[in-house]
Amino acid sequence: MQWEVVIGLETHAQLQTQSKIFSGASTRFGAEPNTQACAVDLALPGVLPVLNRHAVEHAIRFGLAVGATISPASIFARKNYFYPDLPKGYQISQFEIPVVQGGTIDILVDGQSKTINLTRAHLEEDAGKSLHEDFQGMSGIDLNRAGTPLLEIVSEPDMRSAEEARAYVSKLRTILRYIGSCDGNMEQGSLRADVNVSVRRPGEGLGTRCEIKNVNSIRFIGQAIDVEARRQIGILEDGGKIDQETRLFDPGKGETRSMRSKEEAHDYRYFPDPDLLPLEFDQAFVDALKAQLPELPDAKRARFIAEYGLPPYDAGVLAMERASADFFEQ
Ligand code: ADP
Ligand code: MG
């Protein structure tokens, strides 16, 4: 009897703002460690976060590009946990009401089109980075990344194969690049995916999932899914059961490893951040952003087929990057 693989993705996109989401420090990549962390990013006593308007604009632009509902009022929450690269002891995120709700992304696999539903997209700040190389028996902390604006984009568990997941991330990256919200550079970590995988017999309810953290290339996302699905099928066929847990993908060994079980899972004690006002804007603000949206990849592809009689495949390849599409039409 066959197994069906079920996949849902949580993707973090670093937004292309000049400064951080709640401070004026620069977000430029590749600076010397700890040269771009100001008092707010370091969480010194008495500092107050101030929301970066451009981060909000990027989130709204993304929501519009995927046909989502934009919440005219949302709030920021504190997600509490301890980690050396998080000096505040909490990450500012959005919990109950995200700024972007729903939306869809269409993917093309083997010439077949499929719609993947989005659950939500919310604004949050990135944490710093722990550096384990170059420090014998110790770790270094680089807080340059602390406070970098992120849009976390959560999909419904709508994907059914590694190919579909790869096509989804690739399409998501194309859209983010078109609207100028994220450079999509997975190697530098500006786009990162947490991959949720479960398996089931066709027709059954959802199986227990495992979440593979922080996979940083489209190829690895595909490999991680195949390896993890095989592991789960092996356990179930031996009469075992899947424990819900967080796992890491090791591309060198071609395996996933347990990081923490559900019992050890964080209790983040989310609560509204008293330092920040609710995020509120009017429809005119949204409409102005909508008016500036570029022609999006699906529309461009369709127009290339209709207007120039291009074969659908060629039109798709050209429309994948805004630069190649513009070059074609010059
Ligand atoms: P959490 O916030 O605890 O990570 P969510 O319910 O918000 O949990 O789901 C997170 C991600 O996991 C979503 O992308 C969702 O589509 C996916 N997901 C949920 N259940 C399953 C499942 N049974 N199999 C695969 N993916 C799943
Ligand atoms: Mg999760």
Side-chain angles (χ1 to χ4, degrees):
M1 212 180 155
Q2 291 294 311
W3 290 94
E4 182 176 55
V5 185
V6 174
I7 304 145
L9 293 181
E10 296 161 275
T11 314
H12 292 87
Q14 282 185 354
L15 300 173
Q16 287 195 292
T17 54
Q18 305 272 306
S19 58
K20 296 191 177 170
I21 183 166
F22 300 117
S23 84
S26 169
T27 52
R28 197 168 44 82
F29 182 82
E32 283 290 298
N34 299 310
T35 55
Q36 293 178 174
C38 71
V40 174
D41 309 322
L42 294 172
L44 298 187
V47 297
L48 284 174
V50 177
L51 180 59
N52 183 337
R53 178 194 185 98
H54 295 295
V56 177
E57 292 173 350
H58 282 307
I60 295 173
R61 253 198 295 274
F62 174 77
L64 293 169
V66 297
T69 303
I70 313 292
S71 319
S74 60
I75 58 165
F76 286 96
R78 292 185 179 180
K79 179 180 182 180
N80 298 280
Y81 65 97
F82 171 82
Y83 207 74
D85 62 21
L86 188 76
K88 285 203 296 289
Y90 58 86
Q91 176 193 28
I92 304 176
S93 182
Q94 297 196 297
F95 187 52
E96 281 106 348
I97 313 171
V99 60
V100 173
Q101 300 177 10
T104 57
I105 288 187
D106 288 340
I107 57 168
L108 204 60
V109 173
D110 295 332
Q112 291 278 90
S113 166
K114 176 171 175 176
T115 299
I116 307 299
N117 292 290
L118 301 180
T119 315
R120 59 189 274 159
H122 63 260
L123 283 164
E124 60 183 26
E125 57 178 344
D126 211 341
K129 231 189 231 173
S130 300
L131 309 170
H132 304 294
E133 289 149 29
D134 306 334
F135 298 93
Q136 274 189 351
M138 291 186 284
S139 290
I141 302 290
D142 177 7
L143 292 171
N144 283 354
R145 199 178 67 179
T148 299
L150 294 177
L151 189 65
E152 175 170 341
I153 302 153
V154 183
S155 86
E156 290 290 302
D158 284 354
M159 287 154 274
R160 295 291 176 270
S161 67
E163 291 72 35
E164 289 186 9
R166 288 205 311 257
Y168 167 82
V169 177
S170 164
K171 186 63 174 287
L172 189 60
R173 185 171 61 175
T174 294
I175 294 168
L176 287 164
R177 282 181 172 158
Y178 258 72
I179 62 176
S181 289
C182 174
D183 67 19
N185 188 329
M186 297 189 81
E187 236 164 79
Q188 291 181 354
S190 15
L191 191 66
R192 322 190 281 268
D194 297 341
V195 185
N196 295 272
V197 179
S198 65
V199 299
R200 66 175 175 191
R201 302 289 193 187
E204 284 185 350
L206 289 180
T208 304
R209 72 186 152 110
C210 289
E211 177 175 3
I212 311 162
K213 275 280 171 201
N214 260 333
V215 191
N216 68 351
S217 85
I218 290 184
R219 189 160 56 97
F220 288 163
I221 288 171
Q223 289 174 1
I225 290 167
D226 285 338
V227 162
E228 176 60 17
R230 231 176 291 135
R231 185 188 73 86
Q232 292 182 14
I233 291 168
I235 292 172
L236 294 171
E237 289 191 337
D238 285 347
K241 70 180 229 333
I242 307 300
D243 295 322
Q244 185 175 338
E245 57 183 4
T246 304
R247 301 180 68 86
L248 275 183
F249 177 59
D250 181 338
K253 294 211 174 89
E255 61 179 32
T256 64
R257 273 199 301 277
S258 181
M259 217 171 119
R260 55 174 184 261
S261 70
K262 199 182 179 200
E263 285 71 45
E264 303 163 59
H266 292 293
D267 173 6
Y268 294 116
R269 290 196 312 114
Y270 281 97
F271 64 88
D273 192 320
D275 287 344
L276 286 157
L277 291 167
L279 168 57
E280 291 176 357
F281 43 80
D282 56 18
Q283 189 58 38
F285 184 63
V286 178
D287 290 342
L289 292 165
K290 191 170 194 168
Q292 290 162 17
L293 274 187
E295 183 181 30
L296 292 165
D298 287 343
K300 212 179 267 292
R301 175 176 176 274
R303 186 169 60 77
F304 282 2
I305 295 169
E307 205 171 308
Y308 304 109
L310 288 184
Y313 177 82
D314 300 38
V317 171
L318 281 173
M320 196 131 77
E321 296 286 345
R322 208 170 151 183
S324 56
D326 289 349
F327 181 73
F328 170 71
E329 287 203 290
Q330 252 176 18

